[in-house]
Amino acid sequence: MQQSIFSLTLLLLFFHCTNTLSQSPASAPVAAPAQAPSHHPSHRPHSSSPPPGPTDVIQILLKAGHFITFIRLIKATHVDFQLTSQLNSSTDGITVFAPTDTAFTNLKAGALDSLNDKEKLAFVQFHILPRFLSISDFQTLSNPVKTLAGSDDRYPVNISTTDSSVSISTGLTKTSIANTVYTDKQVAIYEIDKVLLPKLLFPPATAPAPAKSAETPEINPKDASSAMSSVLHYNGALVLGVVLAAAMLFL
């Protein structure tokens, strides 16, 4: 009996295995396609270009082409550094009166060579106002006008306007703006045809004594007295001679 049960068990197991093998294998689940990793834009701050520096006065004058002597003086006195500092530290701007090379050649020979370094610095600063002025702004100025050399009576600059011109006077120099070289609402550069000479650095020469007239020669009092005595002696001798001649006629 037990053997029959064992045989039946083996038979059932055989049929079970046969059915299992006859079935097709289950399809493997389809894997979802891999998604590409998303690339989020980086949040780097936008790198803007650096702010422009102050207006380069030297380059503007070089480009204009006829201010070489003035450029050399600006560099020699280091006023170019002062201008950069002025423009960086203040919103007032600057105004430059730039004499042409011809204006410098018209100066008396050796006029600038007589100045020491401190005086040359003041001379260059005398041509620069520490604020921006358009042509129309000159109409509202109060004289004397302040320059980088100072605002006291040692460096006076007086500016006047008419309908067609802007005149500049220092007491020694009188000129007018000939041309606008450059303007950008911060820097104004104006061409002038004469060098601005302050009286403190270039005192006027003593006026020469008037020439003596040839018709009125100077007479020494002693010479005049001697001449008068000679005339009296001559007249006395003449009178005496006339009297003697008359007496002899009556003898």
Side-chain angles (χ1 to χ4, degrees):
M1 184 66 181
Q2 292 178 349
Q3 186 176 1
S4 298
I5 294 174
F6 178 74
S7 297
L8 181 61
T9 301
L10 289 176
L11 183 60
L12 291 175
L13 180 61
F14 173 78
F15 282 115
H16 176 72
C17 293
T18 302
N19 290 334
T20 301
L21 292 174
S22 63
Q23 294 178 357
S24 61
S27 301
V30 179
Q35 296 181 354
S38 59
H39 296 282
H40 298 287
S42 60
H43 297 285
R44 295 178 181 177
H46 179 66
S47 57
S48 59
S49 57
T55 302
D56 193 331
V57 174
I58 296 296
Q59 289 301 317
I60 294 171
L61 293 174
L62 282 172
K63 187 176 180 180
H66 50 282
F67 300 101
I68 301 303
T69 304
F70 191 49
I71 291 171
R72 289 174 179 171
L73 285 169
I74 291 175
K75 289 185 175 182
T77 55
H78 305 296
V79 172
D80 50 338
F81 296 112
Q82 184 179 6
L83 296 180
T84 300
S85 176
Q86 170 82 9
L87 294 174
N88 279 330
S89 62
S90 173
T91 59
D92 293 337
I94 58 173
T95 298
V96 180
F97 297 124
T100 62
D101 291 329
T102 302
F104 280 98
T105 59
N106 289 334
L107 286 178
K108 181 181 178 181
L112 298 182
D113 294 336
S114 64
L115 303 179
N116 59 38
D117 291 344
K118 185 177 180 180
E119 291 171 337
K120 286 182 179 179
L121 172 62
F123 168 75
V124 175
Q125 292 173 328
F126 192 60
H127 290 76
I128 303 170
L129 311 184
R131 58 172 168 150
F132 169 83
L133 292 173
S134 66
I135 291 293
S136 60
D137 290 335
F138 287 111
Q139 300 176 0
T140 62
L141 291 179
S142 298
N143 289 315
V145 179
K146 180 181 180 181
T147 70
L148 289 183
S151 59
D152 52 28
D153 56 358
R154 297 182 303 165
Y155 296 100
V157 172
N158 294 290
I159 298 178
S160 59
T161 61
T162 63
D163 294 337
S164 59
S165 66
V166 177
S167 298
I168 308 164
S169 176
T170 70
L172 290 179
T173 304
K174 188 172 183 180
T175 186
S176 59
I177 292 177
N179 183 36
T180 299
V181 179
Y182 179 86
T183 180
D184 65 358
K185 305 304 181 183
Q186 185 187 29
V187 173
I189 303 177
Y190 299 108
E191 176 183 330
I192 55 177
D193 55 11
K194 290 184 180 180
V195 178
L196 302 181
L197 302 177
K199 287 184 177 180
L200 181 67
L201 302 181
F202 302 92
T206 304
K212 297 178 182 179
S213 174
E215 298 179 357
T216 57
E218 184 176 346
I219 300 175
N220 191 307
K222 292 183 178 180
D223 295 339
S225 178
S226 298
M228 183 62 68
S229 298
S230 298
V231 171
L232 292 175
H233 284 298
Y234 173 79
N235 290 339
L238 181 61
V239 170
L240 180 60
V242 171
V243 170
L244 289 176
M248 292 179 66
L249 289 176
F250 289 102
L251 292 177

